[in-house]
Amino acid sequence: MDFIDLHSHSTRSDGVLSPVELVEKAHASGVRVLALTDHDTMMGVPEAMKAAEKLGMRLIPGIEISTTTHGRGCHLLAYFDRWEMTATFAQFMQQRLEARERRFDEMVGKFGKIGIAIDAARVRKQANGGAITRPHVAKALLEQGIVKDYQEAFDKYLGNGKPCYVPYEKLPTADTIKEVHQHGGFTSVAHPGLEKFTEQEISDLKAAGLDGLEVYHYDHDASARKKYRVIAEKLGLLLTGGSDFHGNNHRSFYTSNTEKGGVPLHIVEPFLEGVRRAAAKAAA
């Protein structure tokens, strides 16, 4: 049985598997169409694509971009038809890595004020040139013996409103959609149910050029899947879906292609055609 997963993360952002390990695990799980969508970076895509080619898998170059709309965060997924077309977009996203560096520096300063010396070199080594995220900081706290587990790191220091929390500089969603389109990409709002986006808010993003909606997500229950599928179909948005796999024990790759428990097979061809159309439109 072949499965589809259009939302996954590697060590290039906040996953625990390298891009190659991620592809190999997905393939072993039966995934045959996979998108690597690290946070604010595409640095892991080339090696993931090489690994996928060896295994006979389809790897979609992707990214999950931190944006803001309607007064709150919006994770925007962007997908590209070919890696070669993302070079200038990758340059644009380099600015986001620099923003994450500034955020991390501010976190280090806040830890210092409460008497905790974060090993910044350890955190940067974990990020391996990719996006520095709060899970990287949490791992350093754990390895330094400051907390007993990841949850304590967020509960005491890194969660929203905690003493070392620093908000991330996010791009406006509508502007980011336009930027992705200029580079030939296809856009989809990730896990809209987690942010409780309304039909009107999604409609506003559709008016800004949004292409798709992540209806099938690990944290969407049956009612959320139905709700956002109806909204997507009403607004003429293509359906996307993925487990949001990070390599921890919280979730696994989809090993189902049903409406209830995975990404249904019938969405794949319309999605891939949408990705191809986005590329063709930018090249015209």
Side-chain angles (χ1 to χ4, degrees):
M1 187 69 70
D2 293 347
F3 307 116
I4 305 136
D5 205 309
L6 304 177
H7 190 161
S8 67
H9 298 275
S10 77
T11 49
R12 290 299 190 173
S13 65
D14 56 347
V16 301
L17 300 179
S18 72
V20 172
E21 292 170 335
L22 182 84
V23 168
E24 291 173 346
K25 186 173 181 63
H27 185 267
S29 300
V31 176
R32 294 298 177 263
V33 179
L34 175 71
L36 176 58
T37 53
D38 279 326
H39 292 283
D40 298 321
T41 180
M42 299 185 76
M43 292 179 68
V45 172
E47 53 190 308
M49 292 192 74
K50 289 179 182 178
E53 185 178 356
K54 289 180 181 178
L55 293 169
M57 287 175 65
R58 174 73 184 270
L59 193 290
I60 309 294
I63 186 171
E64 185 174 4
I65 309 169
S66 303
T67 71
T68 183
T69 187
H70 297 89
R72 62 184 185 280
C74 174
H75 286 203
L76 186 72
L77 293 163
Y79 302 98
F80 296 86
D81 188 43
R82 301 178 308 280
W83 170 247
E84 294 76 14
M85 63 191 294
T86 67
T88 55
F89 183 74
Q91 292 174 8
F92 167 74
M93 289 311 304
Q94 180 62 33
Q95 300 171 18
R96 309 315 303 150
L97 292 183
E98 292 167 2
R100 284 190 179 272
E101 278 282 346
R102 291 192 293 272
R103 179 200 196 196
F104 174 57
D105 288 341
E106 191 172 343
M107 281 184 187
V108 171
K110 286 195 170 192
F111 274 107
K113 288 179 181 179
I114 60 173
I116 297 175
I118 288 289
D119 187 341
R122 183 194 296 261
V123 174
R124 289 194 169 92
K125 184 178 180 180
Q126 290 171 6
N128 194 27
I132 297 177
T133 64
R134 285 184 293 171
H136 288 130
V137 181
K139 185 177 181 182
L141 291 171
L142 180 61
E143 291 177 348
Q144 290 180 240
I146 297 167
V147 297
K148 65 179 184 296
D149 54 37
Y150 280 80
Q151 192 58 50
E152 183 182 356
F154 279 84
D155 289 345
K156 290 183 67 173
Y157 304 112
L158 298 170
N160 292 15
K162 301 304 177 182
C164 301
Y165 172 75
V166 178
Y168 179 54
E169 305 168 27
K170 297 178 179 178
L171 299 163
T173 308
D175 292 349
T176 309
I177 290 170
K178 292 183 177 65
E179 188 74 32
V180 171
H181 284 168
Q182 287 174 8
H183 292 88
F186 173 101
T187 57
S188 177
V189 169
H191 42 66
L194 295 186
E195 280 72 37
K196 296 181 170 57
F197 282 120
T198 66
E199 180 178 334
Q200 183 57 57
E201 289 169 337
I202 295 169
S203 179
D204 292 343
L205 293 177
K206 164 69 175 177
L210 182 69
D211 304 296
L213 193 64
E214 189 177 53
V215 170
Y216 305 102
H217 183 271
Y218 194 95
D219 292 326
H220 282 183
D221 60 18
S223 62
R225 287 175 175 230
K226 181 178 179 181
K227 172 184 176 179
Y228 288 105
R229 177 173 54 78
V230 169
I231 290 174
E233 290 172 347
K234 180 178 179 181
L235 297 177
L237 294 168
L238 293 177
L239 310 182
T240 71
S243 63
D244 203 354
F245 179 81
H246 284 69
N248 51 29
N249 295 324
H250 175 54
R251 67 192 70 199
S252 60
F253 281 112
Y254 278 138
T255 53
S256 169
N257 50 33
T258 66
E259 289 275 339
K260 181 180 179 181
V263 181
L265 292 175
H266 67 78
I267 79 161
V268 181
E269 281 308 318
F271 164 74
L272 292 175
E273 179 57 31
V275 173
R276 287 190 290 265
R277 281 201 307 267
K281 186 175 180 180

